[in-house]
Amino acid sequence: TYNKLFTAHGVVMVWLFLIPSIPSIVGNFLLPLMLGSSDLAFPRLNLASWYLYIAGGVLTLLALFFGGVDTGWTFYTPYATMFSNGYVVLTLLGVFVTGFSSIATGINFIVTVHTLRRMRWFELPLFVWAIYATSLILVLATPVLAITTLLVVAERLFQVGVFDPAHGGDPLLFQHLFWFY
């Protein structure tokens, strides 16, 4: 029970609040104002990323409500691939979908800074630089995390040997790919 509560807290805190919502919510409100624009470069992509965030959040929360996950928010292997009996696959799919929401938001912010700014680069406020750097990290690092979560799902569903030593995998590879994020 402790592991499930600990995991639920970590999953909601990291995957549903810190990574997707703080840059997205604050950036959606402040970035156009600070750039002198009326909206972001791709408003429909912005809406699509919101729908992806809601869908990923619903998948993740359903997994937590159905019975939870006891792996910790990092989903370390081999525990997440061999020993956990919770809803690991559903939770990882929710994290996967939420990650694509973050990628779409990052692309939108990068394009907005490049195309809709009304000032030169070195006149941009510090917050714009921070959102721009965060967006670059989201666009470059989140696909690695997405592939890593899909590999854990493939190991659980199809016994593919990527991280599981029993199938010829290496659990340290998961940590390298995960902490690349």
Side-chain angles (χ1 to χ4, degrees):
T1 301
Y2 173 78
N3 285 346
K4 287 183 179 182
L5 291 173
F6 179 77
T7 302
H9 172 265
V11 165
V12 170
M13 178 183 66
V14 174
W15 303 120
L16 299 180
F17 184 72
L18 289 176
I19 293 172
S21 68
I22 290 181
S24 299
I25 291 173
V26 176
N28 272 315
F29 287 122
L30 294 180
L31 190 63
L33 292 173
M34 291 186 166
L35 293 176
S37 173
S38 62
D39 199 359
L40 294 174
F42 301 122
R44 289 188 179 147
L45 182 63
N46 195 23
L47 183 61
S49 72
W50 169 251
Y51 287 145
L52 284 172
Y53 173 71
I54 294 298
V58 166
L59 282 175
T60 305
L61 292 176
L62 279 175
L64 297 178
F65 288 133
F66 283 157
V69 181
D70 57 355
T71 61
W73 71 272
T74 55
F75 303 101
Y76 278 147
T77 60
Y79 191 60
T81 55
M82 293 173 38
F83 301 113
S84 179
N85 293 324
Y87 289 88
V88 176
V89 171
L90 188 59
T91 308
L92 286 174
L93 290 176
V95 169
F96 180 80
V97 172
T98 306
F100 272 93
S101 167
S102 297
I103 292 169
T105 301
I107 290 170
N108 202 359
F109 287 171
I110 290 168
V111 173
T112 299
V113 170
H114 277 272
T115 60
L116 298 180
R117 60 186 162 81
R118 304 271 186 240
M119 57 202 80
R120 290 184 293 236
W121 278 101
F122 292 108
E123 295 173 350
L124 293 174
L126 188 59
F127 177 79
V128 174
W129 282 104
I131 284 292
Y132 186 77
T134 302
S135 298
L136 287 174
I137 291 169
L138 286 174
V139 168
L140 295 175
T142 305
V144 175
L145 181 70
I147 294 301
T148 305
T149 59
L150 283 183
L151 288 173
V152 173
V153 168
E155 269 201 339
R156 284 191 65 91
L157 295 179
F158 309 114
Q159 284 71 41
V160 177
V162 178
F163 306 120
D164 185 2
H167 295 110
D170 186 8
L172 191 59
L173 176 63
F174 176 85
Q175 291 184 21
H176 288 310
L177 293 173
F178 181 85
W179 289 112
F180 176 80
Y181 186 71

